[in-house]
Amino acid sequence: MSPVLETRGLDKSFGSLAVARNIGIALPRGVRYALIGPNGAGKTTLINLMTGMLHPDGGQIMLDGEDITALGPEERVRRGLVRTFQINSLFPHLNPLEAVTLTICERERIARTWWRPTSDYRAAIDEAYGILDSLMLGPVCTRETRELPYGQQRLLEIALALATRPKVLLLDEPAAGVPREESSELFTAITSLSQDITVLFIEHDMELVFRLASRIIVMVGGGILLEGTPEEISADPRVREVYLGGAHG
Amino acid sequence: MTPTDPATAAPAPTAPHPHMAAQVRWRTVEYVFWLATLLPFVVAPDYLALASQIAITALFALSLDLILGYAGIVSLGHAAFFGFGAYAAGLVSKWGWGEPLSGLLIAGLAAGLLGYLMSFVIARFRHLALIMITLGFGLLLLEAANSASGLTGGADGLQGVKMWPVLGLFKFDLYGFTAYWYALIVLFVFFLMARRLINSPFGLSLRGIRENPVRMRAIGAESGPHIRKIYTIAAFMAGVAGAVLTQTTETVSLGVLDFQRSADILVILILGGAGRLYGGLIGAIIYMIARDWFSGVNPQYWYFPIGVLLIAVVLFLPNGMLGGIAQLIDTVRGRRWFGWLTSPPPWLRSGSKP
């Protein structure tokens, strides 16, 4: 089966610092990938390259067999390549219902209409509420985002991404900063994502990685060291040396 | 009543459809407000000229609120569109067409066109750069009007503006009776339009741009077209406000393009509360009445108390007077009563929006 997202020979340097070296990965549909590696390995840079927030110096990005390297971030999202942020990037003074409805209105291209109230678009609101409810945000959907506990804001990050109907979802440390006792809702949310969606997530928490990922990509120094199943990765001596060994003893 | 008690915590607000519908519904206080705008006819017939100035300023502030309060686009040169509309309306009349309503439309379209052209620049910048660009643009237009004295009358002002009666029936009188209801109706019509706009999906997107333009891109939304559209609409409205000033006073001076006017309208919006539909309206009422009153008390230093008022509002009510009232209502309803006492709300500590 052809991959839904593929990169070929991606390169990116900031001055003399190579942050991406010849990155080639191919993600088949519906697979859960974890992207791991020590700090500064270029994981977030790779996500920025794939989503168009950075332009590569060389190489190609293919989504569903189409070259999207030249497209802007908005256009890539419209085609189904969507990300969340490591540091919450939400709409503080909107409530979750408004934020997700906004995303759906933009997706459906009804965001240009200014003569009809948003409340007339009942299907969009129903869909927004459905997404929020599936992420256990239903009861708080009318509270302002900035008032929500941190864990719920992390869930809203995912809700916004889901509202764009992604084919590929790139989660940048979805559980970053969430206390362990609050993270179970987040795990549930990620495991129960539709199997049509391909997920690539960056995560430092190895327990989470081994629980959620069916395949793991290890990055070191801007390049890909290894790709394989969790068993292969944890057994590999090189990985132990650069990552697991150092960080988790 | 505590928010944790499920029996007393209002069940309705979490239901999505009633929540969204409630934002559109007219509240009692809104009916009261608009009925109160008729009071000057009865209570203060000597002040109708001031009242029409307030209505014009309110419309101007409302147009700034659309771009600044809702879309987060800063402008220190909004008088450019006000003045452009004012001159357009004046020239149309001077050249022999004194019909007010079509004059209003022509002036609005002229200012809207200018706004549309300008919006391509505006959509590319934010924050400090925008302040500089709008400021420069405003000054540029002022000097252009000053030097083109053959067209605008320069520093002497535009002479020869003669308005025909509104609808061929109501002459603009010396007491400002026609002027006030004319300005009030124009304000109300555009208020209805703005109200509809901010409650639409487009309005929601504008708030998204204000809150987080980076995230807008990441949900697949292009901010540029939205910004261009609202900027054009706001310029149109500002132009109409300027036109009403021309038509009701039958004169245009360079003051309509002055930097002072751009600064005043910003002050008015901040006083009243930006990003709240009534902020500009309340701000205009307070500011204009305060200015009238203070300049009566002390014609030389009337700006002093205004400055004090502005500092006080920004320090203690960073979301403007309407924001302060909303906070007070929340407090009285008990939502944050204890939180308020135990830990001061963030706006008291930092005074800045997150």
Side-chain angles (χ1 to χ4, degrees), chain B residues 282-294:
Chain B
I282 299 286
I285 293 170
I286 291 170
Y287 183 88
M288 298 292 281
I289 290 178
R291 192 171 80 168
D292 188 65
W293 191 63
F294 290 140

Side-chain angles (χ1 to χ4, degrees), chain B residues 65-74 126-127 130 206 209-211:
Chain B
D65 199 14
L66 286 183
I67 57 168
L68 176 66
Y70 284 95
I73 304 163
V74 201
R126 285 187 72 79
H127 307 307
L130 266 188
L206 291 182
I209 293 169
R210 177 193 70 199
E211 293 290 308

Side-chain angles (χ1 to χ4, degrees), chain A residues 53 73-74 77-78 82-83 85 89-95 97-98 101-103 105-106 110-119 121-122 125-126 129 139 141-142 146-147 157 160-161 164, chain B residues 13-17 19-21 23-24 193 196-205 207-223 226 229 233 335-336 346 353-354:
Chain A
M53 302 228 161
E74 300 93 340
V77 172
R78 294 222 182 93
V82 185
R83 70 171 296 179
F85 291 83
S89 181
L90 301 166
F91 305 107
H93 287 82
L94 300 189
N95 63 43
L97 183 64
E98 289 171 328
T101 304
L102 155 66
T103 310
C105 287
E106 288 284 357
I110 49 183
R112 289 171 200 174
T113 49
W114 60 270
W115 59 91
R116 273 182 75 184
T118 312
S119 53
Y121 295 94
R122 300 185 68 89
I125 296 171
D126 280 332
Y129 186 77
C141 74
T142 57
R146 66 196 170 117
E147 295 177 355
E157 274 280 339
L160 287 178
T164 63
Chain B
T14 54
H17 290 294
H19 173 79
M20 291 302 233
Q23 298 185 341
V24 188
M193 194 188 94
R196 207 162 176 85
L197 186 150
I198 60 149
N199 287 315
S200 69
F202 177 59
L204 193 55
S205 286
R207 287 162 66 204
I209 293 169
R210 177 193 70 199
E211 293 290 308
N212 193 341
V214 175
R215 189 61 195 230
M216 286 297 279
R217 305 190 81 184
I219 59 170
E222 277 187 84
S223 300
H226 290 322
K229 186 165 163 180
I233 292 173
R335 266 185 65 203
R336 298 185 197 141
K353 281 187 179 182

Side-chain angles (χ1 to χ4, degrees), chain B residues 9-350:
Chain B
T14 54
H17 290 294
H19 173 79
M20 291 302 233
Q23 298 185 341
V24 188
R25 203 172 301 123
W26 279 75
R27 295 172 182 80
T28 317
V29 61
E30 292 185 79
Y31 290 114
V32 173
F33 176 87
W34 286 103
L35 282 175
T37 59
L38 298 174
L39 279 179
F41 287 119
V42 192
V43 181
D46 295 341
Y47 285 92
L48 287 179
L50 175 66
S52 60
Q53 295 283 328
I54 293 176
I56 291 164
T57 310
L59 178 57
F60 187 29
L62 185 62
S63 88
L64 182 65
D65 199 14
L66 286 183
I67 57 168
L68 176 66
Y70 284 95
I73 304 163
V74 201
S75 175
L76 253 186
H78 207 48
F81 306 111
F82 184 89
F84 202 73
Y87 274 110
L91 288 172
V92 166
S93 158
K94 190 186 171 187
W95 291 335
W97 182 255
E99 203 285 310
L101 291 179
S102 53
L104 216 56
L105 187 68
I106 293 167
L109 288 175
L113 180 66
L114 185 69
Y116 177 70
L117 296 176
M118 192 64 194
S119 71
F120 285 87
V121 180
I122 296 296
R124 302 174 134 260
F125 297 94
R126 285 187 72 79
H127 307 307
L128 207 57
L130 266 188
I131 293 180
M132 291 300 121
I133 290 167
T134 53
L135 179 64
F137 177 65
L139 295 175
L140 219 69
L141 212 62
L142 173 65
E143 284 313 319
N146 193 8
S147 62
S149 54
L151 189 66
T152 64
D156 297 331
L158 185 69
Q159 306 298 324
V161 179
K162 274 275 160 275
M163 298 315 299
W164 303 345
V166 183
L167 302 174
L169 296 172
F170 308 98
K171 274 180 70 71
F172 286 107
D173 53 295
L174 274 176
Y175 311 100
F177 183 79
T178 307
Y180 182 50
W181 69 249
Y182 180 68
L184 190 61
I185 288 174
V186 173
L187 169 65
F188 187 62
V189 167
F190 279 94
F191 172 82
L192 289 180
M193 194 188 94
R195 197 179 188 282
R196 207 162 176 85
L197 186 150
I198 60 149
N199 287 315
S200 69
F202 177 59
L204 193 55
S205 286
L206 291 182
R207 287 162 66 204
I209 293 169
R210 177 193 70 199
E211 293 290 308
N212 193 341
V214 175
R215 189 61 195 230
M216 286 297 279
R217 305 190 81 184
I219 59 170
E222 277 187 84
S223 300
H226 290 322
I227 292 176
R228 291 201 293 275
K229 186 165 163 180
I230 194 61
Y231 203 76
T232 306
I233 292 173
F236 181 94
M237 276 175 68
V240 167
V244 175
L245 180 69
T246 299
Q247 295 181 341
T248 54
T249 58
E250 296 198 327
T251 174
V252 191
S253 75
L254 279 178
V256 293
L257 285 167
D258 203 5
F259 168 69
Q260 182 76 47
R261 189 176 292 274
S262 297
D264 280 351
I265 206 68
L266 202 60
V267 168
I268 284 168
L269 192 57
I270 291 167
L271 273 182
R276 297 165 189 274
L277 203 47
Y278 284 88
L281 277 55
I282 299 286
I285 293 170
I286 291 170
Y287 183 88
M288 298 292 281
I289 290 178
R291 192 171 80 168
D292 188 65
W293 191 63
F294 290 140
S295 62
V297 172
N298 188 333
Q300 220 176 345
Y301 301 112
W302 64 269
Y303 230 98
F304 183 82
I306 300 252
V308 173
L309 188 66
L310 183 64
I311 291 173
V313 165
V314 172
L315 273 183
F316 299 110
L317 306 169
N319 295 323
M321 297 200 174
L322 283 188
I325 291 170
Q327 181 91 40
L328 194 70
I329 290 172
D330 272 2
T331 306
V332 171
R333 277 186 183 158
R335 266 185 65 203
R336 298 185 197 141
W337 190 240
F338 295 105
W340 233 76
L341 292 175
T342 51
S343 73
W347 54 266
L348 261 186
R349 275 180 268 127
S350 65

Side-chain angles (χ1 to χ4, degrees), chain A residues 23-91:
Chain A
I23 295 196
I25 55 176
L27 310 183
R29 190 176 302 279
V31 177
R32 267 81 179 118
Y33 267 89
L35 180 59
I36 65 172
N39 285 326
K43 304 184 294 294
T44 298
T45 303
L46 179 58
I47 285 198
N48 283 336
L49 286 170
M50 289 197 285
T51 53
M53 302 228 161
L54 286 175
H55 286 285
D57 300 333
Q60 273 183 314
I61 303 156
M62 317 285 287
L63 182 67
D64 261 348
E66 281 180 74
D67 189 340
I68 59 165
T69 319
L71 300 180
E74 300 93 340
E75 188 53 39
R76 295 187 199 197
V77 172
R78 294 222 182 93
R79 293 182 185 215
L81 177 56
V82 185
R83 70 171 296 179
T84 65
F85 291 83
Q86 180 182 354
I87 297 163
N88 280 339
S89 181
L90 301 166
F91 305 107

